[in-house]
Amino acid sequence: MGLKLPGTHLTRIDTRLLRGELRPNEPMQRHVSWRAGGHAANCYRPADLEDLALFLQAWPRHEPVYMIGLGSNLLVREGGVQGAVVLLHARLNELFIVEQDEQGGLVYAGAGVPCPKLARFAALHNLAGVEFLAGIPGTIGGALAMNAGCYGSETWEWVERVKTIDRSGHLSERPANDYRVGYRQIALRDSASSDCGQAWFAGGWFRLPAGKMETSRQVIKTLLTARIKSQPLGLPNAGSVFRNPDGEFAARLIEQCDLKGLRIGDAMVSTRHANFIVNCGQATATDIEAVIETVHNRVLARLNIALVTEVRIIGQDKEHQL
């Protein structure tokens, strides 16, 4: 049995072995934390990792593929995205202890596991180090891909090795030292060894030191309290929009340029935390991107500092709408 796919190319893929759900013309505002954006020409929710591999093998190689977790670091332009968006949250969700002794343990977490879930799981098993993940509103796949961090800690401090899946559906395991790790960025040291540079994290093994459950729980509680006080969690947002420049904080620079409260349509620079852009109601992706560009341009003009976006922006402008 074949399935005709919408879009520029009338392509067919064999779906007999696939167990996931394929939806055409899916509104991406349902899947991103900003609650704004265009449609995906095709949206696939795999049944599991094996099913994802089969989907990637079947999907036409000329059609792009995007992987997302909770959509907490993503903006989809109003014109939408061609190809396929794959939803990993609650699908690649394995989470278990591989080994543990009095010194610590090794935990495996799939790419679709929410970061706070790993933080709580480690605490429950008397393992320390990843309490900060309780403050990351994304999945392990995204945390690995961008070396997510907060409160002075980063994801790759604890990674021993990772599992990847490439555009052909081939699974590999790589040690952490195969990657160059930087602030909010990760890259293979030997990029030629990947499938034309297109591969995604399917999961990771985290080597954690021994801790105490109650101590870790208290650290998590303290971090979440600080997050609630400092971040505009009552309105849809995507977390920090810009990376912190060396020796500086993006929020301080934005506030220094009197940009708190800047509003275009229903998109606004938060009055609580200047590095957050919130959806005040009916903001469009175009509104949000306009605020991002305005903030970037004003900080550059006034302070001669070019802020780099931390959020990922994909898709086409509205005039090229699917």
Side-chain angles (χ1 to χ4, degrees), residues 14 33 83 121 139 176 181 208 236 251 269 285:
D14 191 332
S33 60
F121 180 83
T139 57
V181 179
L208 305 177
V269 176

Side-chain angles (χ1 to χ4, degrees), residues 176-290:
N177 60 15
D178 271 7
Y179 294 86
R180 292 193 304 273
V181 179
Y183 172 64
R184 303 296 178 264
Q185 55 187 322
I186 295 296
L188 271 172
R189 295 186 186 278
D190 179 13
S191 58
S193 66
S194 66
D195 182 32
C196 298
Q198 190 168 28
W200 301 273
F201 293 109
W205 286 264
F206 297 81
R207 177 68 65 180
L208 305 177
K212 294 184 178 180
M213 179 175 62
E214 288 307 318
T215 301
S216 291
R217 284 180 168 175
Q218 185 57 50
V219 171
I220 290 171
K221 181 179 180 181
T222 301
L223 292 178
L224 291 180
T225 298
R227 182 169 177 254
I228 290 169
K229 288 182 178 179
S230 64
Q231 298 179 9
L233 303 183
L235 292 171
N237 67 81
S240 295
V241 173
F242 298 99
R243 299 177 185 175
N244 290 324
D246 289 342
E248 264 294 0
F249 292 100
R252 193 189 74 82
L253 299 174
I254 296 167
E255 187 170 356
Q256 187 177 336
C257 292
D258 303 315
L259 289 168
K260 270 190 171 182
L262 169 74
R263 183 165 177 162
I264 297 175
D266 263 356
M268 183 182 76
V269 176
S270 170
T271 55
R272 176 172 288 189
H273 193 306
N275 200 18
F276 281 59
I277 294 173
V278 296
N279 182 347
C280 296
Q282 301 297 321
T284 66
T286 302
D287 295 335
I288 294 168
E289 191 168 8

Side-chain angles (χ1 to χ4, degrees), residues 97 99-106 125-128 207-212:
I97 301 288
E99 60 186 43
Q100 186 170 13
D101 57 25
E102 65 277 4
Q103 300 300 316
L106 184 65
H125 290 85
N126 296 302
L127 295 171
R207 177 68 65 180
L208 305 177
K212 294 184 178 180

Side-chain angles (χ1 to χ4, degrees), residues 37-114:
H39 288 58
N42 305 279
C43 196
Y44 190 68
R45 192 185 295 273
D48 49 33
L49 183 56
E50 180 183 8
D51 183 60
L52 172 60
L54 290 172
F55 175 78
L56 290 171
Q57 291 167 15
W59 190 255
R61 292 303 297 264
H62 61 270
E63 294 280 355
V65 174
Y66 303 90
M67 302 279 182
I68 73 168
L70 287 168
S72 58
N73 197 44
L74 180 69
L75 181 66
V76 179
R77 291 190 174 105
E78 294 298 315
V81 288
Q82 290 280 10
V85 172
V86 178
L87 306 175
L88 299 183
H89 173 233
R91 288 302 184 267
L92 276 60
N93 59 355
E94 291 182 285
L95 181 60
F96 55 87
I97 301 288
V98 178
E99 60 186 43
Q100 186 170 13
D101 57 25
E102 65 277 4
Q103 300 300 316
L106 184 65
V107 178
Y108 178 81
V113 173

Side-chain angles (χ1 to χ4, degrees), residues 28 33 38 157-158 172 177 194 273-274 301 308 321:
M28 286 304 296
S33 60
E157 292 176 43
W158 309 103
S172 301
N177 60 15
S194 66
H273 193 306
V308 177
Q321 194 160 355

